[in-house]
């Protein structure tokens, strides 16, 4: 239940002090990065530039994969879906973040906060599952190259992506519903974050949240730990297969196809684990907010840069697409 009204009653914070709940719908406001107008304008321009770069970079990968038949392979199918997820993932967070940097802080209603949390967790979880699927794809390609096309069929690839998205939506819906059954005392509460993420919202509840924190750890293990372990197992087999390749050129090419994926994996899982799997006693809200900036801006921005700069096929497809577009424009002129 994502919406609701608070009645006049007495609740308690986790520390035990009674607090009178105000009637009316609960609203949240996000804590400002700074109160200095000049710095707010600078941050607005910086985050807007990063957001536009994320949109353009990931959209270019989606366009290149969709329009070039040479990229219609499982690896690029998964890369295309990853880029599309990154576009949706950042679009759930950044526009509202920019709106709060531009002018006065805008309150977000309880239902809006629940919706943002649901989509943020769902898309982030699907991102993690998809990275594990991409590791399996690289395992099959390097360890079983002769059977690759028989194993990684189009039907299997589509099913794996749909299963990843379905599982992510299911986990996110259950987590968001569980959290928003908690009472939030007061009419307007300040979230020490730039989005309705799970840990900072949990801290605002005026009830016992130990069960909810335990559920969060279970979801974190399912979304982060289990896929990461599967990725590690895949790369153990991949490394063993690469070391058995006799030619240095063959080893270099095999490693280059995996290094881009490994870079993204370490960045994504490392930052998310610091926020969702650390004990609450060893974390601070300010640290969580700073780490969240990495997987909100840096990882989605690095994805297209890493995969294009280190991938000759994608670079070639983008160059051909730009050249053909320029040629068609010239003919029309």
């Amino acid at each position: 239940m994502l919406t609701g009204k608070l009645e006049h009653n007495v609740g308690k914070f986790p520390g035990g002090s009674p607090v009178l709940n105000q009637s009316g719908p609960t609203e949240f406001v996000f804590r400002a990065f700074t109160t200095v107008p000049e710095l707010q304008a600078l941050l607005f321009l910086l985050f807007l530039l990063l957001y536009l770069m994320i949109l353009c970079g990931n959209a270019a990968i989606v366009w290149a994969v969709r329009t070039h038949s040479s990229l219609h392979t499982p690896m690029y199918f998964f890369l295309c879906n990853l880029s599309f997820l990154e576009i949706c993932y950042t679009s759930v967070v950044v526009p509202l973040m920019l709106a709060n940097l531009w002018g006065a802080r805008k309150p977000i209603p309880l239902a809006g906060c629940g919706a943002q949390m649901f989509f943020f967790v769902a898309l982030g979880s699907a991102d993690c599952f998809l990275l594990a699927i991409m590791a399996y794809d690289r395992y099959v390609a390097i360890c079983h190259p002769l059977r690759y096309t028989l194993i990684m069929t189009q039907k299997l690839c589509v099913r794996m992506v749909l299963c990843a998205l379905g599982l992510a939506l299911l986990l996110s819906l259950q987590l968001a519903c569980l959290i928003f059954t908690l009472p939030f005392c007061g009419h307007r509460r300040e979230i020490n974050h730039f989005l309705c993420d799970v840990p900072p919202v949990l801290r605002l509840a005026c009830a016992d949240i130990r069960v909810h924190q335990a559920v969060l750890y279970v979801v974190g293990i399912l979304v982060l730990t289990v896929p990461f372990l599967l990725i590690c197992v895949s790369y153990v087999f991949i490394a063993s297969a690469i070391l058995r390749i006799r030619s240095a050129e063959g080893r270099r090419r095999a490693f280059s196809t995996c290094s881009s994926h490994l870079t993204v994996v370490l960045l994504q899982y490392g930052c998310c684990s610091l926020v969702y799997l650390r004990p609450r006693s060893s974390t601070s809200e300010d640290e969580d907010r700073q780490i969240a900036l990495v997987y909100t801006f840096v990882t989605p921005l690095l994805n297209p840069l890493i995969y294009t700069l280190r991938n000759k096929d994608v670079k070639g497809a983008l160059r051909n697409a730009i050249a053909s577009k320029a040629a068609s424009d010239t003919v029309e002129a």
Side-chain angles (χ1 to χ4, degrees):
M1 158 172 159
L2 298 180
T3 59
K5 292 196 174 184
L6 298 175
E7 305 292 336
H8 284 290
N9 55 24
V10 175
K12 287 189 177 182
F13 282 115
S17 58
V19 176
L20 183 66
N21 292 355
Q22 300 177 16
S23 62
T26 298
E27 292 181 332
F28 298 103
V29 290
F30 300 111
R31 182 169 296 179
F33 284 98
T34 177
T35 56
V36 181
E38 292 79 7
L39 288 178
Q40 283 183 333
L42 184 62
L43 287 174
F44 177 86
L45 292 175
L46 174 62
F47 291 144
L48 177 61
L49 177 62
L50 291 174
Y51 181 51
L52 293 176
M53 291 172 65
I54 290 168
L55 293 183
C56 292
N58 285 285
I61 289 181
V62 173
W63 176 51
V65 173
R66 295 287 296 174
T67 57
H68 287 77
S69 57
S70 62
L71 300 182
H72 291 175
T73 63
M75 182 175 76
Y76 296 114
F77 171 75
F78 295 134
L79 177 58
C80 177
N81 281 276
L82 181 67
S83 294
F84 179 72
L85 280 177
E86 298 288 16
I87 292 172
C88 299
Y89 176 76
T90 52
S91 296
V92 168
V93 177
V94 180
L96 182 60
M97 177 185 178
L98 293 174
N100 280 287
L101 279 170
W102 188 265
R105 290 188 297 171
K106 285 81 176 174
I108 181 171
L110 192 70
C113 188
Q116 187 187 51
M117 179 185 291
F118 167 71
F119 285 110
F120 178 76
V121 174
L123 293 168
S125 301
D127 203 322
C128 292
F129 293 145
L130 190 55
L131 288 173
I133 292 172
M134 292 173 75
Y136 174 73
D137 172 68
R138 291 299 84 209
Y139 158 75
V140 177
I142 293 174
C143 298
H144 304 283
L146 299 179
R147 300 171 55 200
Y148 179 71
T149 54
L150 296 176
I151 296 174
M152 300 302 295
T153 61
Q154 183 179 11
K155 182 181 291 187
L156 178 63
C157 294
V158 172
R159 284 178 178 175
M160 286 195 292
V161 170
L162 290 178
C163 286
L165 186 59
L167 180 58
L169 290 171
L170 179 63
L171 292 174
S172 177
L173 180 62
Q174 291 179 336
L175 185 62
C177 289
L178 180 66
I179 289 172
F180 282 91
T181 56
L182 285 167
F184 297 98
C185 305
H187 171 60
R188 178 171 293 185
R189 304 299 308 276
E190 184 182 67
I191 301 176
N192 187 11
H193 214 292
F194 55 85
L195 69 117
C196 288
D197 203 359
V198 179
V201 172
L202 269 180
R203 292 188 181 103
L204 299 181
C206 50
D208 188 355
I209 61 171
R210 285 175 294 183
V211 173
H212 301 75
Q213 285 180 328
V215 172
L216 176 59
Y217 282 127
V218 171
V219 172
I221 290 170
L222 291 174
V223 172
L224 296 171
T225 308
V226 173
F228 184 71
L229 290 176
L230 293 175
I231 291 172
C232 290
V233 171
S234 297
Y235 273 101
V236 168
F237 287 106
I238 289 171
S240 176
I242 290 175
L243 292 176
R244 289 199 301 268
I245 298 175
R246 294 183 179 180
S247 68
E249 178 64 18
R251 286 195 298 269
R252 188 193 65 78
R253 290 182 60 186
F255 178 75
S256 66
T257 62
C258 301
S259 57
S260 302
H261 178 256
L262 260 179
T263 304
V264 175
V265 164
L266 293 175
L267 207 63
Q268 177 86 356
Y269 284 90
C271 292
C272 291
S273 297
L274 286 175
V275 172
Y276 295 104
L277 296 180
R278 278 194 305 176
R280 290 295 98 194
S281 58
S282 65
T283 64
S284 73
E285 296 180 37
D286 291 331
E287 285 180 359
D288 286 353
R289 185 161 71 159
Q290 292 163 7
I291 296 170
L293 285 172
V294 176
Y295 57 75
T296 303
F297 285 102
V298 179
T299 308
L301 180 61
L302 283 182
N303 276 351
L305 292 177
I306 290 172
Y307 283 111
T308 53
L309 291 178
R310 298 181 63 88
N311 193 299
K312 293 180 181 179
D313 294 334
V314 177
K315 284 193 293 185
L318 288 174
R319 278 197 299 265
N320 293 337
I322 294 171
S324 62
K325 178 66 175 174
S328 63
D329 291 343
T330 303
V331 170
E332 290 175 3

